[in-house]
């Protein structure tokens, strides 16, 4: 039997309700050469019988007494695996049919040892920043994308990489983090597949999963996390990368232990939690990590380090209450007023760099070169004043343009004349600045659910006269001046009259830009142009047709003209009227197969043209209003 391409390992324990979907998702993969290894860890709910009902040579099932956690069954699966790659899958979860095909292809194309396929949370949160875009090759040391944000083993591993790694056994939870951390640091490269939903990660509706039940007890939990943190320190140098990884352990694992379960515990159990956390704080906490953590962490850490155990329950209880602390501006810094303030150092309550100042778009629109911005702004726990909207260049000059935000406490409006600014080519960020007392505060403007308007035509220093609004990877509003985007199609009317083609429409221009209408002859280099007359947002251009030869087709375009560049685009038809051009020619505006506006010059037969011309002359001569009655002699009849 040929070597399987991928071995999928599933630890099974009392998950009959979800197990069939899990198994079927693996057997239904589009990738050939997949083997599925299910290790039943002493299930009592019928999972064993369900596995026995399958008759598929690709499925291998092993049964064993309950081991006390998923580590042991995963290890059994590793000893049985024969695939070039190994994918770990939990029995509550399932894979998209193309998941393994796409992940293997990415690993082989980039020569990487681990591929993380995009997670989709089903009733639970999953890492999102990691999957903003595909990453062909990276390492755990790089940020972005910050691989260390996910320490679950639910990934595709090259089996050679992990052949001697094993999971901790007998742990109810967190048995996987040391395994994953070691694999990260071993890997020569890791890929992130972000443009296809691969792994559907489920939170049990009945709340019976190990993690939903609180996970491993503290006596087992803290030593397990300590081993993971030591792996980090053994493979990194002191500095930002190490702090970033250890900060994740403090934030995601250690601090959540100070929650509802801590308050419900007796004094002895609380002491176990406090002592376990304190050991890790003393061993791994750095000033850089402390400065970047939330006030709650700083308060808990200070209490633990200085034996202020009496304050801990009050601090935890206040945090769980979801109350909004009042904000206090003092000596150029901003603090939250919460339990222990005034007794613990002020630094434990400093929120200056992480102020909950939030600003989100309500509406956004262009009026020529003027950007109208409607903003919802709030600062829980404080009252801000003097808000302004700021457009700031990312370039070396850091040029800014500022306008006031006017309105009530939550909804404010600003009109930013970007055309008058004549922004330099490049990217500009939009933010909101204000004051809390005498302390300046600021935040980026979040796009939220608002649809962004299309590009606007306005002068750009050193670039094309086109500006584009976009949302950054973090969901904030920015503007690209001199954008390389194709200019948007513009609707226009085309009328043939008096031997000329009149093109008209609306095209809002900012900052005194010029507009030309171009007629480009198909198959030839010939181009006819006419400067458009502008009246506000309306334009009209007239092109003489007298020397346009019969049988020719001309595509109509527009060109926005500025001293530093031009932008060209095509017209789409709105109202079309054809007509004659002289004795033997006609001009007919029409819509091309691509939906753009064009004009075709036709030739009329002389037999048709002459009678038509004579008829026209006769109608002019014989028009009743121009016939003069004959004079008659006086007294006689005519």
């Amino acid at each position: 039997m040929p070597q399987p391409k991928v071995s999928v390992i599933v630890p099974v324990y009392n998950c009959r309700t979800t197990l069939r979907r899990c198994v079927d998702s693996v057997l239904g993969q589009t990738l050939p050469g997949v083997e599925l290894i299910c290790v039943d860890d002493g299930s009592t709910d019928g999972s064993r019988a369900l596995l026995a009902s399958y008759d598929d040579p690709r499925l291998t099932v092993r049964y064993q007494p309950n081991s006390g956690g998923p580590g042991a069954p995963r290890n059994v699966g590793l000893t049985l695996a024969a695939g070039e790659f190994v994918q770990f899958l939990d029995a509550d979860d399932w894979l998209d049919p193309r998941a393994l095909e796409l992940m293997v292809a990415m690993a082989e194309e980039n020569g990487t040892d681990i591929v993380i396929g995009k997670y989709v949370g089903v009733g639970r949160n999953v890492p999102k920043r990691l999957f903003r875009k595909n990453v062909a090759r990276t390492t755990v040391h790089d940020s972005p994308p910050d691989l260390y944000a996910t320490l679950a083993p639910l990934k595709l591993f090259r089996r050679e990489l992990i052949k001697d790694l094993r999971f901790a056994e007998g742990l109810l939870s967190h048995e996987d983090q040391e395994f994953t951390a070691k694999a990260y640091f071993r890997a020569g490269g890791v890929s992130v597949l972000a443009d296809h939903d691969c792994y559907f990660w489920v939170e049990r509706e009945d709340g019976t999963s190990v993690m939903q039940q609180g996970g491993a007890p503290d006596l087992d939990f803290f030593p397990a996390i300590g081993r993971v943190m030591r792996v980090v320190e053994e493979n990194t140098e002191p500095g930002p990368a190490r702090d970033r990884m250890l900060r994740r352990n403090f934030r995601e694992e250690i601090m959540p232990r100070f929650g509802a379960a801590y308050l419900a515990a007796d004094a002895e159990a609380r002491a176990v939690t406090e002592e376990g956390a304190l050991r890790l704080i003393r061993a791994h906490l750095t000033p850089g990590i402390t400065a970047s953590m939330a006030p709650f962490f700083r308060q808990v850490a200070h209490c633990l380090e200085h034996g202020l155990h009496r304050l801990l329950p009050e601090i935890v209880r206040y945090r769980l209450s979801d109350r909004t602390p009042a904000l206090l501006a003092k000596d150029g810094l901003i603090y939250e007023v919460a339990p222990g303030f005034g007794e613990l150092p002020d630094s434990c309550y400093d929120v200056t760099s992480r102020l909950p100042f939030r600003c989100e778009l309500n509406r956004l629109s262009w009026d020529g070169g003027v950007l109208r911005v409607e903003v919802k702004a709030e600062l829980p726990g404080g009252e801000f004043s003097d808000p302004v909207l700021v457009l700031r260049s990312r370039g070396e000059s850091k040029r800014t343009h500022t306008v006031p935000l006017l309105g009530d406490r939550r909804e404010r409006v600003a009109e930013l004349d970007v055309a008058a600014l004549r922004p330099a080519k490049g990217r500009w960020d939009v933010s909101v600045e204000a004051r809390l007392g005498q302390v300046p505060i600021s935040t980026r403007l979040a796009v939220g659910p608002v649809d962004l308007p299309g590009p606007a035509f306005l002068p750009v220093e050193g670039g094309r006269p086109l500006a584009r609004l976009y949302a950054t990877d973090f969901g904030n509003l920015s503007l690209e001046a001199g954008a390389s985007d194709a200019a948007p199609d513009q609707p226009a009317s085309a009328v043939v009259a008096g031997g000329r083609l009149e093109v008209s429409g609306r095209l809002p221009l900012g900052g005194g830009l010029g507009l030309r209408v171009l007629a480009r002859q198909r198959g030839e280099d010939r181009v006819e142009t006419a400067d458009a007359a502008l009246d506000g947002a309306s334009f009209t251009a007239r092109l003489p047709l007298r020397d346009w030869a019969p049988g020719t087709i001309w595509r109509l375009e527009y060109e926005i003209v500025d001293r530093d560049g031009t932008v060209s685009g095509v017209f789409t038809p709105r109202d079309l009227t054809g007509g004659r051009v002289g004795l033997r020619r006609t001009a007919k505006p029409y819509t091309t197969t691509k939906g753009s506006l064009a004009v075709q010059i036709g030739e009329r037969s002389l037999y048709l043209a002459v009678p038509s011309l004579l008829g026209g002359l006769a109608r002019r001569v014989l028009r009743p209003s121009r016939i003069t009655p004959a004079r008659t002699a006086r007294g006689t009849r005519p």
Side-chain angles (χ1 to χ4, degrees), residues 556-594:
L556 298 179
E557 304 173 358
Y558 68 88
E559 187 174 70
I560 309 297
V561 183
D562 183 45
R563 72 185 190 209
D564 286 349
T566 61
V567 171
S568 299
V570 300
F571 288 116
T572 56
R574 191 172 59 188
D575 299 317
L576 307 180
T577 303
R580 295 196 310 270
V581 183
L583 180 62
R584 297 187 58 184
R585 287 179 299 148
T586 61
K588 178 184 177 183
Y590 73 98
T591 305
T592 69
T593 56
K594 294 184 178 180

Side-chain angles (χ1 to χ4, degrees), residues 119-236:
Y119 298 144
V120 178
V122 181
R124 63 170 298 155
N125 292 324
V126 295
K128 291 184 174 62
R129 290 186 178 181
L130 180 61
F131 300 109
R132 286 203 174 102
K133 61 182 180 181
N134 284 353
V135 180
R137 191 178 186 90
T138 186
T139 74
V140 71
H141 299 279
D142 299 330
S143 181
D146 191 12
L147 303 177
Y148 199 78
T150 169
L151 290 175
L154 311 174
K155 304 164 176 57
L156 184 80
F157 296 86
R158 201 174 290 273
R159 187 163 64 95
E160 183 67 21
L161 177 78
I162 59 172
K163 63 181 180 181
D164 62 335
L165 289 181
R166 290 298 180 265
F167 294 87
E169 298 190 5
L171 277 175
L172 283 175
S173 68
H174 297 86
E175 81 297 331
D176 50 2
Q177 293 196 356
E178 184 180 2
F179 177 97
T180 305
K182 287 180 176 179
Y184 274 153
F185 286 111
R186 284 187 179 188
V190 181
S191 298
V192 178
L193 178 61
D195 61 0
H196 189 85
D197 295 343
C198 293
Y199 191 106
F200 292 82
W201 199 347
V202 180
E203 185 88 326
R204 289 190 186 180
E205 295 181 358
D206 59 6
T208 60
S209 72
V210 170
M211 289 303 298
Q212 288 171 301
Q213 295 294 316
D218 286 349
L219 283 172
D220 297 330
F221 168 81
F222 285 109
I225 300 304
R227 290 193 293 271
V228 179
M229 299 174 88
R230 285 195 294 275
V231 170
V232 171
E233 292 183 341
E234 289 166 0
N235 290 276
T236 59

Side-chain angles (χ1 to χ4, degrees), residues 294-296 298-300 302-303 335-336 344-350:
F296 174 70
R298 286 178 253 146
Q299 294 157 22
V300 170
H302 184 87
C303 288
Y335 304 95
E336 65 176 24
L344 302 185
D346 284 354
S347 59
C348 293
Y349 299 85
D350 185 355

Side-chain angles (χ1 to χ4, degrees), residues 257-270 273 313 316-317 320:
R257 291 281 155 160
F258 292 89
Y262 171 81
L263 291 179
D266 58 26
E268 183 178 353
R270 286 183 182 180
T273 303
V316 173
R317 191 174 295 108
L320 294 178

Side-chain angles (χ1 to χ4, degrees), residues 472-504:
T472 68
D473 288 344
F474 292 94
N476 298 318
L477 182 66
S478 289
L479 177 141
E480 183 184 6
S484 58
D485 304 52
D489 297 348
Q490 296 291 334
S493 299
V495 177
V496 177
R500 293 183 302 182
L501 173 67
E502 182 175 292
V503 182
S504 60

